[in-house]
């Protein structure tokens, strides 16, 4: 029987490790990661291939995301490491068409690409792939930190590059959800107290895309209360809706980026790591091809992270 495979979006997030030490009461002093430490990190990652899951300590580390399984790892030119890691998922039972019931305590594994780069500044940059909603950055980060001997003062930070979306996104719709005031809810006659106002292009001649980029995109990352007030004022000014700013629940902007439809949440915190969309060929098993993905990840690191750091 022939099947049409469902391919999930391939994205990658970027993070970095920084190590600071005390500086006699002054601002902490950066302690660079060295090339010798980087070489040791590579060797320690090599040692994480083919773990013995019969060992209780190993099982526990992988199960609780203190350690990943390294499927393959390689050293690249320019102080870089790349490879594939596996992280565990477990905790609820499910049934598989081919293998029947899978118990809750049984670990399942998903594979993801990773990239590590030692910069001239002495930081360790980390790229971690996602497949649709699935990823394993936390387990990868814990593994890398555990593989470094001098852990004192290490902190992990994530890159949020909203401008990546703004520069490449093509707005399609804006959805503003708001709550009806209690006096307008009629009990049995009400379907609920939340309403969504959808804004979209009305004709080929209007400037919907440009207006959304000009008006909405600069609001990303601003305080929620400030943005809610701005939305309420905008809707009133455009004679679209009279609503109190505290009644606005959410504002979602549907965009096309990298050939895919994405939803940006205007009122969500923007402190999470940006997931950069990667257009890459897929294998029949639903995973991206390694070599093209590696090259795309390296280019993203160079052009979207290092150049703007």
């Amino acid at each position: 029987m022939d099947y049409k495979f469902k391919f999930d979006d391939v994205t990658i997030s970027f993070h970095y490790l920084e190590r600071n030490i005390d500086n006699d009461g002054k601002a902490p002093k950066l302690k660079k990661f060295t090339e010798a430490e980087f070489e040791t990190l590579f060797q320690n990652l090599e040692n994480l291939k083919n773990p013995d899951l019969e060992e209780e300590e190993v099982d526990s580390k992988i199960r609780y995301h203190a350690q990943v399984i390294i499927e393959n790892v390689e050293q690249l030119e320019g102080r870089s490491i790349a490879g594939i890691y596996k992280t565990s998922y477990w905790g609820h039972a499910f049934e598989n068409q081919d293998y029947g019931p899978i118990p809750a305590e049984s670990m399942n594994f998903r594979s993801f690409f990773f990239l590590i780069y030692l910069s001239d500044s002495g930081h360790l940059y980390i790229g971690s792939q996602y497949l649709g909603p699935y990823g394993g950055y936390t387990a990868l980060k814990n593994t890398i930190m555990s593989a470094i001997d001098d852990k004192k003062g290490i902190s992990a930070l994530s890159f949020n590059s909203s401008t990546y979306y703004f520069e490449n996104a093509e707005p399609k719709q804006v959805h503003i959800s708001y709550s009806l005031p209690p006096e307008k809810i009629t009990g049995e006659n009400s379907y609920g107290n939340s309403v969504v106002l959808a804004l979209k292009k009305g004709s080929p001649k209007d400037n919907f895309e440009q207006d959304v980029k000009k008006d909405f995109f600069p609001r990303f990352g601003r305080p929620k209360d400030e943005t809610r007030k701005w939305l309420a004022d905008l809707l009133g000014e455009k004679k679209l809706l009279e609503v109190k700013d505290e009644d606005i629940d959410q504002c979602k902007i549907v965009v096309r980026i990298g050939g895919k439809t994405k939803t940006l949440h205007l009122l969500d915190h923007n402190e999470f790591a940006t997931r950069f969309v990667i257009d890459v060929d897929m294998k029949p098993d639903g995973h991206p091809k390694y070599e093209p993905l590696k090259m795309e990840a390296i280019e993203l690191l160079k052009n979207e992270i290092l150049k703007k750091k």
Side-chain angles (χ1 to χ4, degrees):
M1 182 181 294
D2 292 331
Y3 293 96
K4 292 183 178 179
F5 290 96
K6 175 183 176 293
F7 294 129
D8 287 314
D9 292 342
V10 177
T11 56
I12 187 167
S13 62
F14 288 95
H15 319 260
Y16 68 97
L17 300 184
E18 180 177 272
R19 182 170 56 196
N20 291 287
I21 56 175
D22 292 336
N23 190 22
D24 296 327
K26 302 177 184 177
K29 183 179 180 181
L30 178 69
K31 184 177 182 180
K32 294 183 178 183
F33 294 104
T34 66
E35 291 193 32
E37 287 180 303
F38 195 68
E39 179 64 33
T40 300
L41 171 61
F42 173 73
Q43 295 300 327
N44 288 338
L45 292 176
E46 277 269 19
N47 294 335
L48 295 180
K49 292 180 179 178
N50 305 313
D52 184 0
L53 295 179
E54 295 299 320
E55 292 187 17
E56 184 175 344
E57 182 179 357
V58 174
D59 178 282
S60 180
K61 284 182 178 180
I62 294 173
R63 186 177 294 273
Y64 293 101
H65 296 167
Q67 178 182 313
V68 299
I69 297 173
I70 297 297
E71 186 172 313
N72 64 65
V73 60
E74 60 174 330
Q75 266 189 304
L76 311 175
E77 293 182 3
R79 300 194 302 269
S80 297
I81 296 171
I84 300 292
Y85 72 94
K86 293 179 180 179
T87 189
S88 65
Y89 293 80
W90 64 284
H92 66 274
F94 61 92
E95 187 170 338
N96 181 273
Q97 177 182 359
D98 297 320
Y99 300 101
I102 307 297
E105 66 275 10
S106 177
M107 281 195 289
N108 305 280
F109 301 99
R110 287 188 172 90
S111 298
F112 305 101
F113 169 84
F114 72 95
L115 176 69
I116 308 172
Y117 169 68
L118 174 63
S119 70
D120 292 334
S121 64
H123 294 83
L124 280 179
Y125 289 80
I126 304 169
S128 185
Q129 177 226 327
Y130 289 78
L131 193 59
Y134 300 104
Y137 165 68
T138 298
L140 176 65
K141 175 199 67 176
N142 292 339
T143 301
I144 294 171
M145 292 181 69
S146 296
I148 298 171
D149 291 333
D150 185 1
K151 302 175 178 59
K152 187 175 181 180
I154 296 180
S155 57
L157 300 97
S158 298
F159 284 97
N160 174 263
S161 181
S162 296
T163 55
Y164 167 76
Y165 287 111
F166 303 156
E167 292 169 356
N168 297 278
E170 181 184 355
K172 292 299 182 183
Q173 293 188 30
V174 176
H175 296 165
I176 301 172
S177 59
Y178 60 96
S179 298
L180 292 172
E183 61 269 19
K184 290 190 178 182
I185 301 174
T186 59
E188 294 179 1
N189 294 326
S190 174
Y191 286 102
N193 67 338
S194 184
V195 179
V196 177
L197 174 68
L199 309 177
K200 58 184 179 180
K201 193 176 184 71
S203 72
K205 294 183 179 180
D206 72 29
N207 296 316
F208 177 80
E209 295 90 348
Q210 292 81 359
D211 289 343
V212 171
K213 285 189 173 185
K214 176 175 63 71
D215 295 337
F216 285 80
F217 281 10
R219 310 305 306 185
F220 279 91
R222 306 294 290 272
K224 286 186 176 182
D225 289 344
E226 177 186 317
T227 301
R228 283 193 175 96
K229 184 178 187 310
W230 174 82
L231 282 168
D233 291 344
L234 178 71
L235 294 174
E237 177 186 326
K238 299 293 185 182
K239 296 182 172 25
L240 294 171
L241 181 70
E242 292 293 336
V243 62
K244 295 180 180 178
D245 52 308
E246 61 264 27
D247 291 331
I248 295 177
D249 300 320
Q250 185 54 273
C251 177
K252 302 177 182 180
I253 303 175
V254 180
V255 301
R256 289 285 291 177
I257 180 171
K260 305 287 186 178
T261 299
K262 302 291 178 184
T263 301
L264 308 181
H265 299 261
L266 184 61
L267 294 177
D268 282 357
H269 290 297
N270 260 2
E271 298 168 355
F272 57 85
T274 298
R275 295 186 187 180
F276 295 87
V277 179
I278 293 184
D279 186 11
V280 63
D281 289 338
M282 307 293 280
K283 299 181 294 184
D285 65 1
H287 288 272
K289 292 182 178 180
Y290 176 78
E291 287 295 334
L293 175 56
K294 180 175 70 176
M295 300 309 298
E296 289 288 336
I298 291 172
E299 287 302 309
L300 274 172
L301 176 64
K302 289 179 180 178
N303 298 323
E304 291 294 337
I305 303 299
L306 297 180
K307 282 186 177 180
K308 300 179 181 181
K309 178 69 171 69

